[in-house]
Amino acid sequence: MRERFEQQLQLLNQALTKMGSLCEQIITLAAQALTDWDENLAKKVAEVDSEIDKMERSIEGTCLRLLLQQQPVATDLRVISAALKMITDMERIGDQAEDIAEIITFLKGRAAAESVQIREMARETITMVTGSVDAYVRQDLELAQAVLNHDDIVDAYFDRVKKNLIDMIAKNPEDGEFALDLLMIAKYFERIGDHATNIAEWVVFSVTGVHKDLEDSE
């Protein structure tokens, strides 16, 4: 019985890794669209988001079967409950990447020259998402902490982008709508970083049984 349970947990880890890879892919596509304006990229983003949605439902089903059909011990319960929380954040990452792609389609390629820092910010969020899922699969607290620390880098990028866009509006008020579109894109990347942080926090919970928000609420 335990051997079968371990096999199913391994399958769960593989599915989470695949879902994390799709999240990395969708963020990369969204970032690429900032440089190479192409309406087909937005379609690709939508297709990947649909795959992420399907994987969320599949992994949720796997987790529920593990809970109902097996006899998980406390550590197993933490791992499975963390996985359920993680897939919610990964699904939202997909949604926000699709929101980014949708905004970019309205910019008609103009974003390319203005979005260097946003693209760098996107690369940092990819690092966070990949690291958070790897930390779960490896049950690696050090890697999870590295993701948590990395969130400050993404936040710093967002602050710089926001300042630059405010300066743009001050100098060229007619570019106000364009600047706000870029700010929304940067905000979505910041939120993706926040979701990666959430995932890392659930990794910590799965290993230690301690979660920052749960501790704060006591």
Side-chain angles (χ1 to χ4, degrees), residues 4-5 8 11 57-72 80 84:
R4 175 170 170 74
F5 185 81
Q8 291 178 321
L11 291 174
R57 292 190 292 272
S58 174
I59 293 172
E60 184 178 46
T62 298
C63 289
L64 293 177
R65 283 194 298 275
L66 283 169
L67 291 171
L68 295 173
Q69 297 175 4
Q70 305 295 333
Q71 294 180 329
I80 296 167
L84 285 167

Side-chain angles (χ1 to χ4, degrees), residues 7 28-29 31 42-43 52 57 80 89 104 134 136 156 173-174 176 184 201 213:
Q7 290 173 347
T28 301
L29 284 170
K43 294 178 182 178
I52 289 172
R57 292 190 292 272
I80 296 167
D89 280 295
I104 290 170
D134 284 349
Y136 174 83
E174 67 276 10
M184 280 303 301
E201 288 174 348
D213 288 346

